[in-house]
Amino acid sequence: DGGITQSPKYLFRKEGQNVTLSCEQNLNHDAMYWYRQDPGQGLRLIYYSQIVNDFQKGDIAEGYSVSREKKESFPLTVTSAQKNPTAFYLCASSLGSGANVLTFGAGSRLTVL
Amino acid sequence: GQNIDQPTEMTATEGAIVQINCTYQTSGFNGLFWYQQHAGEAPTFLSYNVLDGLEEKGRFSSFLSRSKGYSYLLLKELQMKDSASYLCAAHNTDKLIFGTGTRLQVFP
């Protein structure tokens, strides 16, 4: 079955540690996105990529980094520079370079201890 | 600037009809998405309006007025499983701008 796989589903991290969230899709979608969701707030865009080896900052990119070395993979690194990293992280993909219908992964919940 | 507004919470009774409103202000507007999100799960696509008017899809309908910067999602014959958050998102050039979501609780 085609879809988006995010891992891990739950992750605990100590302050000062970097952590990488995995996102893999087998939908042959060109564009991929990372969103952050906090209670009472909408989804906020962290980074997005419309094509391999290229990506753009979203609204809240500070403290995060990404790479797009393969079409099917778009990992997100939450660095120690991110001041408030505890959140629910959602990866999504869409067909084509425009924001067509997004298919979301199941999410990764990061808790910083 | 860019701004998407929708009510934070709504309640309704099983079998009833509920309308969730969304107003938006954004440059480069291409269309309006609605997604449904159950607690702790990924959002799933409900509808996408590009042109003005009402689009019906089973129990769910979505309306758009581009001149007013306004959309609504209409849910008919409510079921308990419709209890979820409903996210309004404006399609802005090459990305989506999401509202905070409306948490709908359906009571028996």
Side-chain angles (χ1 to χ4, degrees):
Chain A
D1 286 340
I4 298 182
T5 302
Q6 287 187 242
S7 62
K9 190 170 178 64
Y10 298 97
L11 184 63
F12 296 88
R13 173 200 114 173
K14 293 181 180 179
E15 279 191 30
Q17 289 181 334
N18 292 354
V19 62
T20 297
L21 307 180
S22 170
C23 179
E24 303 277 331
Q25 54 100 359
N26 60 3
L27 300 166
N28 200 31
H29 282 176
D30 292 310
M32 297 187 73
Y33 309 81
W34 273 105
Y35 288 91
R36 169 181 171 141
Q37 189 172 36
D38 296 281
Q41 297 196 41
L43 275 66
R44 292 184 289 168
L45 184 63
I46 305 172
Y47 268 98
Y48 62 107
S49 167
Q50 298 177 338
I51 195 169
V52 174
N53 292 322
D54 188 41
F55 48 83
Q56 289 77 40
K57 291 182 179 180
D59 300 317
I60 55 165
E62 186 176 348
Y64 300 97
S65 66
V66 293
S67 63
R68 187 86 187 275
E69 297 177 1
K70 298 185 296 183
K71 186 176 184 178
E72 56 270 22
S73 178
F74 191 42
L76 173 75
T77 297
V78 185
T79 75
S80 57
Q82 169 50 234
K83 299 303 180 189
N84 188 20
T86 295
F88 188 49
Y89 291 88
L90 285 161
C91 178
S93 69
S94 67
L95 187 64
S97 58
N100 297 299
V101 176
L102 296 181
T103 300
F104 284 88
S108 293
R109 188 167 296 279
L110 171 65
T111 302
V112 175
L113 304 173
Chain B
Q2 300 177 117
N3 194 41
I4 313 291
D5 283 319
Q6 53 181 131
T8 304
E9 288 192 18
M10 298 182 71
T11 60
T13 306
E14 198 174 12
I17 299 173
V18 70
Q19 177 174 312
I20 302 174
N21 296 324
C22 171
T23 58
Y24 63 89
Q25 288 179 305
T26 179
S27 56
F29 178 79
N30 290 326
L32 199 290
F33 282 92
W34 284 96
Y35 284 83
Q36 179 191 60
Q37 185 181 24
H38 285 98
E41 298 182 11
T44 55
F45 169 76
L46 288 177
S47 65
Y48 179 47
N49 292 65
V50 176
L51 302 176
D52 285 359
L54 185 69
E55 294 211 6
E56 298 184 70
K57 193 184 294 185
R59 293 189 300 114
F60 293 5
S61 302
S62 56
F63 171 85
L64 177 66
S65 169
R66 296 177 72 113
S67 61
K68 295 181 179 178
Y70 168 69
S71 172
Y72 68 73
L73 181 69
L74 191 71
L75 293 76
K76 303 175 185 175
E77 301 169 18
L78 280 173
Q79 302 175 9
M80 297 298 291
K81 67 178 182 179
D82 297 330
S83 292
S85 288
Y86 292 86
L87 313 179
C88 168
H91 178 189
N92 177 6
T93 309
D94 60 353
K95 57 187 178 181
L96 296 191
I97 310 298
F98 281 87
T100 56
T102 299
R103 185 180 168 214
L104 173 66
Q105 288 185 287
V106 180
F107 293 98

